[in-house]
Amino acid sequence: MTDISVIIPTYNRLWSLPQAVESCRSSAAKVEIVVVDDGSTDGTWDWLQAQRDIVAIRTDNWGKDWAVETALEQARGEFVRFLDSDDWLRRDTNERQLALARETAADLVVAGYEDFDDESGESRINAWEDCDDFVAQQLGEGWSSHYSAFLFRRSLIQGIPHRQDFALRDDRLFILEVAMRTPRLAIDREPAFVHRRHTGERLQRTAGFARDLGYWTHISIYRKILGLLEQRGELTLRRKRAAVRMLWPSVRTFARSYPRDAAELFKWIKRLHPEFVPPERPAVTLGYRTLGFAMTERLLALRVWKR
């Protein structure tokens, strides 16, 4: 049986894909590398055809989440990991995390990662931060790492798709749904992969209306997850606080373009967590109380525009 299936969606990333693929190869573990070329036009498909140890799949540019789902249908590994084609695994990550999973019977191995800036050449290690409530951590209580640093038992993620209708934030929804299954965790203290920061387009980078849609998607994901936790009797005050802490910046940013819709979100937050105090200047919070959220945000936007 294959130990690990590494799923790599890609689109016009031939400049970085070979490094990502090479980092997944292993002599100590049985690793299946599944690369989905989502309609590239830069020679990616020809390069993949020349690789003997890769499961290569071609899709018609339907987006990252569709590519990942297509790959999962063919993955045969006992464990699964996801890797973007402009990032790469650090040395021995697959072998180390596989050993940890088997030693501890873990469903999920978590870890931190390394940030690397292409332009400056600088790197920074983001070590894993321990937390005794994995759901609260992923909701926003503390730093929650990146799911490319994680190794998932395939049976754990069975039936959890990368959802097309939440495509701009599908990774976040995926890991929250995983967390709600209360997986047995093992912690890898070494950084698992290198997250490359570069000037090229990332698969989910957005601007303008798409940026606002991204914020709305993020908020919608949290409303869905919090609703499910409430139905299950698992929406603790700690988890509410974590979610509101994460949501508030998105609500404020969304309010710049859609103050009325953001005002409804503000009311929802207050119903969810009545003790919540917006972390804003006293004059702003006074405006929320006296003028209302929408009017205050309109006045703030007008002030910024006049500058």
Side-chain angles (χ1 to χ4, degrees), residues 84-299:
D84 285 345
S85 56
D86 52 352
D87 299 330
W88 67 92
L89 297 182
R90 283 169 56 103
R91 184 179 177 86
D92 298 329
T93 290
N94 279 330
E95 296 82 357
R96 189 176 61 252
Q97 292 192 344
L98 179 65
L100 265 173
R102 290 191 168 150
E103 287 167 9
T104 62
D107 303 304
L108 177 61
V109 180
V110 296
Y113 64 92
E114 176 183 353
D115 265 316
F116 177 78
D117 189 290
D118 253 5
E119 188 172 349
S120 68
E122 294 178 354
S123 65
R124 182 186 66 175
I125 300 298
N126 304 290
W128 173 257
E129 294 182 3
D130 291 340
C131 182
D132 61 358
D133 185 336
F134 188 58
V135 173
Q137 182 183 33
Q138 295 304 315
L139 283 170
E141 182 177 273
W143 185 70
S144 58
S145 191
H146 188 294
Y147 94 145
S148 287
F150 300 170
L151 185 69
F152 303 85
R153 190 178 293 275
R154 187 151 63 99
S155 58
L156 170 68
I157 63 174
Q158 201 76 36
I160 303 179
H162 284 64
R163 299 184 186 276
Q164 181 80 25
D165 44 345
F166 293 97
L168 292 174
R169 295 290 187 274
D170 60 331
D171 295 1
R172 180 91 316 249
L173 179 56
F174 180 85
I175 196 62
L176 283 168
E177 290 191 73
V178 167
M180 288 181 62
R181 290 189 173 183
T182 60
R184 181 184 177 93
L185 301 182
I187 301 172
D188 176 12
R189 297 295 177 182
E190 295 292 324
F193 83 108
V194 180
H195 179 61
R196 187 201 305 260
R197 300 189 181 277
H198 56 83
T199 57
E201 288 277 334
R202 293 198 72 88
L203 294 181
Q204 293 169 300
R205 179 171 291 177
T206 56
F209 171 76
R211 176 204 58 206
D212 292 337
L213 180 59
Y215 285 120
W216 180 255
T217 302
H218 184 220
I219 293 163
S220 299
I221 284 171
Y222 271 67
R223 295 188 74 167
K224 178 67 174 178
I225 292 297
L226 295 177
L228 291 172
L229 287 169
E230 189 169 33
Q231 288 175 20
R232 289 164 45 165
E234 298 174 3
L235 187 55
T236 62
L237 178 59
R238 178 179 178 181
R239 291 173 177 178
K240 290 179 183 179
R241 287 173 173 164
V244 170
R245 175 181 178 272
M246 179 62 71
L247 280 174
W248 182 247
S250 293
V251 172
R252 285 294 319 279
T253 303
F254 191 69
R256 294 173 190 169
S257 301
Y258 306 97
R260 184 174 297 177
D261 294 308
E264 292 302 313
L265 294 170
F266 181 63
K267 291 178 184 177
W268 169 73
I269 285 175
K270 293 296 287 184
R271 288 195 299 271
L272 175 74
H273 181 19
E275 297 82 20
F276 171 67
V277 177
E280 306 299 335
R281 301 189 310 275
V284 175
T285 55
L286 177 63
Y288 289 160
R289 290 197 302 270
T290 59
L291 302 175
F293 181 88
M295 178 58 71
T296 301
E297 289 296 334
R298 287 191 185 99
L299 291 173

